[in-house]
Every structure is written in structure tokens, then in C-alpha cells.
Amino acid sequence: MKAIRILTRGIRDAFKSVFRNFSLSTAAITCSSITLILVAVAMVISYNVKNITSDLERELTIVVYLKEDRTEDQVQKLLKDLETMPNVEDKVYKNKEEWKLEMKSYSDTFSQALDFLETNPLLDSITITVKDVNHLKETTEQIKKYDFVSSADYGEGMAENLVAVFNVVEKVTIIIVVALILVTAFLIGNTIKLTIFSRRGEIDIMRLVGASNISIRLPFIFEGLILGILGSIIPILVTIYGYILLYDHFNGYLFTQIIRLVEPFNFILYVSGALAIIGAIIGMFGSYRAVRRYLKI
């Protein structure tokens, strides 16, 4: 019961303090809002870069052409072996007759040229999608070992350069998000320190009347929680409405059909939840450190 009373009193005093020290509370909320907006922008960019990277990586496939003298048993053996290869996610097999029909549908020129030929010059092929593009070369070399494989190609050189760029961009965006969160923690923490320092007389009085450390800290910790949550409201609204407007304006794509944006729902809900959690945790932690260390209670 005593713990519940202390908890209830702490929450009550925290709400009172937020309104009683309105100017300082406004400064803390404004600081939180500005920095959390930057965090929200970085998170949106980071997740979209990751999504674009994943889409482009899925386009990197291995195209295998089989020799003309291959047998049906050899084809079935390769297809079965591909299912057991750890890096193979999917495969599409087309024989040369299926390729001929598909190419004839591309244009009348192709159709006339293929009809003119007495024999089908095309080869059977298998298009392979991999799980990890970082191991494209190893998977390709493994497939080339089959005697009846004419060629296996994945765009050597260009594909590896793209993968390297993808990895760098993804790491850079993650570093930016983490850096902004740390900056947010620093700014909000220092703002809350100033707020608590201006009320050191109030804390001294509480200590003189025999209040325990937990009784003194708890209202400030809840106050930090409230300020953090209030500070996240504007960034959340900016994220929700801003991203929906951006997505609708570009019809889900950025500059080109290749760069596809993440659909707003449920993405913006996750970002909004993350902002509220970040604001609350940083507010509580900043208040706790300020009371515990800055005022040396």
C-alpha cells in the first residue's frame, strides 16, 4: 500500500509540476519535438533505403543456360540439387520452346526471325533468386561445376559493386539514426537538468523534511516521462501526415518506378510508436540522471 501511495503521489506531483513550471516544461517539450522530428526523418529515410536496397538485391539473379545435349534426367537432377543449396531461394526453369514462344510475343520482328529459322537456336535456362547476394559468386561457381551447364552468369563485377554500395548506404543510415538518438538524449537530458536545477530549492526542502530519495526522484522521473511523451506528439503527427502526403504525391515511387517507397500502413504506426518510446525513455532517464547525479541526492 505504501508503494502504491508513493507511486500515486509521484504521478500527481509530476502533472502538477509540468503545469506549475510551464515555461520550463515548454522548453523541454520544444527541444524534444525538434530533435525527435530529426530522428523521425532519419528513421523514415533509413527504412526506405533498406527497402529499396532489398528490392534491388532481389533483382540480382543467376541465369543458367544448359547445353543442347543435356538430358531430361540431368535437368531434373540440377533442379533437385538447387533445392538443397543453402543460398538458393527460388528457381524458374524454361525450356527452349517456352523461350521461343515468349520471345515471339515481344515483337513481330522477333516472331518473324524465329519463324524463319529451321531450328530453335535458344537454350534451356534456369533463373535463380538467391537468399544472400553477398554469396552470388560462390553459388554461381557451385552451379558451373555441372558438365551440362553451358554458362552461369550474375553480372559479375557490376553486381558486386552494387552490393558494396547497398551495404555502405545501409550502414550509414543506421549510424545516422543512432547518432540522432544520442543527440536527442543529450539535448533533452540537458534541458531537463536545467529544469530540475531551477527547482533545487524545492528539492532541498523535501530533503529537510525527511523525504526519502525515492520520494524525491519519483515525481521528477514521471515528469520526464510526461515531457518526453508530450514532446513526441508533434513528431508523430508530422510523421503520419507528412509521410502519407509524400507517398500520395509520388504515387508510391520516388523519381522512378525502380525506387519504391514503403507503404504508409503499418510503417508509420511503427515509427510513431518508436518515437513515443524514445521520447518517454529519454525523458525518464534524463530526469533520473539529473536528480541522482547533478544534484547529488
Side-chain angles (χ1 to χ4, degrees):
M1 291 298 293
K2 183 179 178 181
I4 294 174
R5 283 199 305 271
I6 293 174
L7 187 64
T8 305
R9 190 183 305 117
I11 296 172
R12 182 196 63 199
D13 292 344
F15 276 103
K16 285 182 179 180
S17 180
V18 168
F19 292 102
R20 187 167 56 241
N21 302 279
F22 185 74
S23 59
L24 291 172
S25 297
T26 302
I29 291 170
T30 302
C31 177
S32 301
S33 296
I34 293 171
T35 49
L36 286 175
I37 286 173
L38 295 177
V39 171
V41 171
M43 290 175 69
V44 168
I45 293 173
S46 175
Y47 197 86
N48 273 282
V49 167
K50 183 177 177 62
N51 183 66
I52 292 166
T53 300
S54 299
D55 286 346
L56 292 176
E57 285 181 346
R58 280 193 289 270
E59 296 299 321
L60 297 176
T61 57
I62 302 171
V63 180
V64 180
Y65 289 102
L66 307 179
K67 292 180 180 179
E68 287 190 20
D69 59 353
R70 95 291 178 280
T71 64
E72 188 62 29
D73 288 341
Q74 288 174 327
V75 174
Q76 293 305 317
K77 173 177 170 50
L78 177 55
L79 292 174
K80 187 175 181 180
D81 289 349
L82 288 173
E83 292 178 359
T84 62
M85 289 185 185
N87 196 37
V88 174
E89 182 173 352
D90 193 18
K91 62 188 184 303
V92 177
Y93 170 69
K94 287 185 182 179
N95 61 41
K96 60 183 183 180
E97 294 303 323
E98 290 174 320
W99 268 118
K100 182 177 180 180
L101 290 173
E102 185 173 327
M103 292 190 70
K104 287 176 69 174
S105 67
Y106 291 161
S107 68
D108 292 338
T109 303
F110 274 128
S111 180
Q112 291 173 7
L114 290 170
D115 286 339
F116 178 78
L117 298 173
E118 294 183 359
T119 59
N120 187 347
L122 304 175
L123 297 174
D124 297 350
S125 73
I126 305 173
T127 303
I128 300 168
T129 305
V130 297
K131 296 176 183 177
D132 187 353
V133 294
N134 292 296
H135 299 294
L136 269 171
K137 185 175 182 179
E138 294 91 326
T139 306
T140 303
E141 293 300 324
Q142 190 176 357
I143 295 169
K144 283 182 178 179
K145 292 178 181 178
Y146 291 85
D147 295 335
F148 52 91
V149 170
S150 175
S151 66
D153 182 57
Y154 64 95
E156 188 173 357
M158 182 188 72
E160 288 157 343
N161 290 335
L162 281 173
V163 170
V165 171
F166 294 159
N167 290 334
V168 170
V169 170
E170 192 170 337
K171 288 176 182 176
V172 167
T173 53
I174 291 172
I175 290 171
I176 290 172
V177 171
V178 172
L180 282 172
I181 290 174
L182 293 176
V183 170
T184 303
F186 176 78
L187 291 174
I188 295 175
N190 278 289
T191 304
I192 292 172
K193 280 183 181 181
L194 291 173
T195 302
I196 294 175
F197 181 74
S198 67
R199 295 159 57 192
R200 62 191 182 279
E202 178 184 335
I203 295 174
D204 288 337
I205 292 171
M206 293 174 70
R207 295 176 65 185
L208 289 171
V209 298
S212 64
N213 284 346
I214 189 64
S215 299
I216 297 173
R217 291 177 187 150
L218 206 56
F220 287 102
I221 292 173
F222 280 120
E223 185 176 345
L225 171 65
I226 294 166
L227 293 176
I229 293 174
L230 291 175
S232 68
I233 291 174
I234 292 176
I236 287 172
L237 294 175
V238 169
T239 301
I240 293 174
Y241 291 104
Y243 189 75
I244 290 175
L245 287 173
L246 176 71
Y247 187 88
D248 291 342
H249 179 73
F250 289 103
N251 295 317
Y253 296 92
L254 195 61
F255 308 124
T256 173
Q257 295 290 320
I258 298 175
I259 304 177
R260 183 172 59 87
L261 296 172
V262 178
E263 293 184 1
F265 299 99
N266 295 318
F267 169 58
I268 54 175
L269 298 180
Y270 296 144
V271 174
S272 298
L275 291 174
I277 292 170
I278 291 170
I281 291 175
I282 291 175
M284 291 176 67
F285 185 69
S287 293
Y288 176 79
R289 283 176 58 87
V291 178
R292 182 176 178 272
R293 298 181 63 183
Y294 189 71
L295 298 177
K296 302 186 187 302
I297 294 177

